Amino acid sequence: MEDYSKFLNGIWEDYTAFKGEKPYPLPKPKIQPEKKKEEPQPKPKEVVPEEVKPVTPKNPDKSNDPKPVIVNPSNMVTFDWCGMSMKLPNAKIQGDLRGTDKESLLAYYEALDNSLICKEVLPQMATIATGANFNDWCLLLLIQSYVRKIKANADANTRNIICWYMMAQFGYDIRLTLIGRSLFYLIPFHQTVYNHDYILIHDTRYYLWGEGTPDPNARISTPQLPDDAGAFVNLVMLKPLDIPNKPRRFSHTFSGRTISGEVNENLIKVMAQFPQMPVPCYAISEGDDKARNQILTQMKKYISNMSEFEAANFLLQFVQSFDYAVDEDQFGYEKPFFIEETLYYPQCDCEDRAIFYYFLVTNLLGNDVHLVHYPLHECNAVNFSQKLNADCYMYQGKQYVICDPTYIGASIGMCMPDFKNTRPEVELIK
């Protein structure tokens, strides 16, 4: 936004922070559930799902991105971004932020305007982001890494105001916020972000972001801005990232059949830095085309002579055979997986399997697949070409059959006993 300084010097409004929403209020099962031998076959059952709108975010229009410019090679700085070496011009920002009063903020804003950020850094950064198919979040990760390099000895307030300035110059509705005497920035996302505090501005969630730990008892204030202050940040990867490949082998065997190949470890490092978002966002995100094609090519051979139901059952039991662990045990926090992460990490839990099964069925069989959320659990529901005598629900006149890639030994159409009488929350994809 042009002339942001008038807003910095204007009225700052106070807000109350809300605690980040949790996707699973209670712990998930520590042990992977297994079908009992005496469990009866399922009977037809209609469940009216709770409809959730499809997640179909779009990249904001950034047609005004700065164009590449010729830069003096001697003015370049090299830094690490997710395990890869990046090179960008030195912004040559004079000094650090001296305080968080209006006079200090305005003086540093002027210093940022007089630096090489807009003239040289942003055009080169836009070239990198476009060439590598970065989404909005990857661009912010790049900015954060760059700022840590050029201001390694500065305090968090200085680095946060630079990150905010660069994202705002790219056309995003990133807002500066003061919490006590610490500066942070506010990010509006297209998606819900879990486990992250936020404030509400005109019913829109702006999530508190940046280096440092906000004081929960401190006053929160941000300058008054118009509602059309810029674009929201999209977390979904709509294109495969085109980044240097650091191959890491994967292999998994089930019932004498093996899939193997390579996944890009650099991509895994990028994915590890995403905040937690709704499960469908992982399912529709692009990733490593090479690894995904390796999986699909090998799987096609295994199911080529199977019927639709046989193939769906094989894929289901294949995913059930992955080693199980809840995220708290493996990472210490909740972390749904992108497709590639299920191949990379040694263990996975229910939502990771639901995402992976969605990928396999939609790409190999072409069926319409739902992601289904129960309390403390995720699974799938598939619309087959013929109706089945199975645990299912009807949606828009079609039968969706429960397929649970976590429930060991269960075939298509078998819901866990704990959820047979529970109304599912259906997370639509298409």
Side-chain angles (χ1 to χ4, degrees):
M1 177 180 293
E2 295 182 2
D3 198 19
Y4 206 106
S5 59
K6 68 180 181 181
F7 298 105
L8 293 179
N9 197 35
I11 298 174
W12 287 54
E13 288 188 284
D14 290 350
Y15 290 88
T16 300
F18 295 88
K19 294 297 293 181
E21 184 179 340
K22 293 183 178 181
Y24 300 100
L26 299 173
K28 288 183 283 188
K30 292 278 188 179
I31 300 174
Q32 185 177 1
E34 186 169 359
K35 184 182 77 70
K36 297 178 180 178
K37 293 182 179 180
E38 65 274 12
E39 186 177 335
Q41 287 296 311
K43 296 180 180 180
K45 182 180 181 181
E46 181 172 309
V47 179
V48 180
E50 177 181 345
E51 181 177 349
V52 178
K53 292 183 178 179
V55 180
T56 54
K58 297 181 179 179
N59 273 335
D61 179 13
K62 298 199 289 293
S63 57
N64 294 323
D65 277 352
K67 301 297 185 283
V69 296
I70 299 175
V71 180
N72 183 350
S74 63
N75 187 41
M76 303 296 281
V77 294
T78 302
F79 61 99
D80 178 87
W81 184 79
C82 299
M84 294 165 281
S85 179
M86 292 286 180
K87 184 180 288 187
L88 282 165
N90 190 333
K92 294 187 175 180
I93 305 167
Q94 294 299 313
D96 297 338
L97 182 65
R98 293 185 177 182
T100 56
D101 57 282
K102 286 187 179 180
E103 183 179 12
S104 297
L105 293 176
L106 288 168
Y108 204 67
Y109 184 88
E110 183 178 354
L112 296 175
D113 270 348
N114 291 330
S115 72
L116 296 178
I117 288 177
C118 293
K119 183 179 178 181
E120 295 188 5
V121 180
L122 297 189
Q124 295 298 321
M125 194 171 280
T127 300
I128 291 173
T130 300
N133 292 330
F134 281 6
N135 72 342
D136 302 336
W137 181 251
C138 289
L139 177 62
L140 177 57
L141 292 179
L142 180 63
I143 287 173
Q144 291 172 336
S145 296
Y146 172 78
V147 173
R148 285 195 295 268
K149 172 64 178 182
I150 64 169
K151 287 293 183 180
N153 298 320
D155 61 10
N157 283 349
T158 299
R159 287 194 288 269
N160 284 341
I161 194 173
I162 298 173
C163 288
W164 159 77
Y165 177 87
M166 294 177 72
M167 285 294 284
Q169 292 298 325
F170 264 121
Y172 294 95
D173 185 13
I174 308 295
R175 306 190 179 197
L176 200 63
T177 187
L178 186 60
I179 305 178
R181 295 184 178 180
S182 299
L183 278 180
F184 295 87
Y185 43 96
L186 301 167
I187 304 179
F189 291 96
H190 282 285
Q191 298 80 23
T192 298
V193 170
Y194 295 113
N195 301 314
H196 218 97
D197 294 351
Y198 62 91
I199 67 171
L200 285 175
I201 302 178
H202 298 160
D203 296 325
T204 296
R205 291 187 182 188
Y206 285 78
Y207 292 85
L208 305 176
W209 228 272
E211 287 188 50
T213 303
D215 181 351
N217 300 313
R219 171 186 172 189
I220 301 173
S221 60
T222 186
Q224 286 185 350
L225 291 176
D227 288 339
D228 59 348
F232 287 14
V233 170
N234 187 3
L235 289 169
V236 172
M237 291 186 285
L238 298 175
K239 296 180 181 179
L241 291 188
D242 186 6
I243 58 179
N245 185 38
K246 183 180 180 182
R248 167 76 175 267
R249 294 289 299 174
F250 67 82
S251 179
H252 184 75
T253 300
F254 164 71
S255 189
R257 297 173 174 89
T258 300
I259 59 167
S260 61
E262 295 177 346
V263 66
N264 187 353
E265 195 164 1
N266 285 329
L267 178 62
I268 300 298
K269 292 177 181 178
V270 176
M271 291 173 167
Q273 298 187 56
F274 272 65
Q276 187 184 353
M277 52 187 173
V279 171
C281 298
Y282 298 89
I284 64 175
S285 283
E286 297 290 341
D288 185 343
D289 271 358
K290 181 180 178 182
R292 296 186 182 198
N293 288 333
Q294 287 172 338
I295 299 167
L296 297 176
T297 299
Q298 293 170 71
M299 277 296 189
K300 282 180 183 177
K301 295 179 181 178
Y302 295 145
I303 65 172
S304 60
N305 296 320
M306 296 181 185
S307 69
E308 177 188 30
F309 299 140
E310 288 172 338
N313 257 325
F314 174 78
L315 296 175
L316 185 68
Q317 291 164 7
F318 179 86
V319 180
Q320 289 171 3
S321 69
F322 280 78
D323 289 339
Y324 178 86
V326 295
D327 293 326
E328 284 292 333
D329 289 345
Q330 188 169 191
F331 299 103
Y333 56 92
E334 186 65 31
K335 183 186 172 13
F337 285 170
F338 294 95
I339 303 299
E340 293 74 12
E341 293 179 299
T342 298
L343 301 170
Y344 180 83
Y345 292 108
Q347 298 164 312
C348 56
D349 64 5
C350 60
E351 72 269 10
D352 311 324
R353 294 155 185 260
I355 292 166
F356 198 63
Y357 189 66
Y358 167 85
F359 166 74
L360 293 175
V361 174
T362 54
N363 285 280
L364 293 170
L365 304 182
N367 296 67
D368 187 14
V369 182
H370 288 173
L371 291 167
V372 178
H373 177 82
Y374 288 105
L376 313 180
H377 187 56
E378 295 275 344
C379 64
N380 303 91
V382 180
N383 173 238
F384 292 106
S385 59
Q386 299 177 35
K387 287 190 175 181
L388 290 177
N389 182 10
D391 288 332
C392 63
Y393 58 81
M394 300 298 295
Y395 178 75
Q396 294 184 346
K398 297 179 180 179
Q399 183 195 53
Y400 285 82
V401 175
I402 297 295
C403 298
D404 196 328
T406 301
Y407 192 21
I408 296 177
S411 59
I412 58 174
M414 298 190 73
C415 179
M416 282 190 201
D418 290 349
F419 304 125
K420 280 184 178 289
N421 297 314
T422 302
R423 181 184 180 186
E425 178 183 329
V426 180
E427 302 165 309
L428 302 177
I429 299 294
K430 294 182 180 179

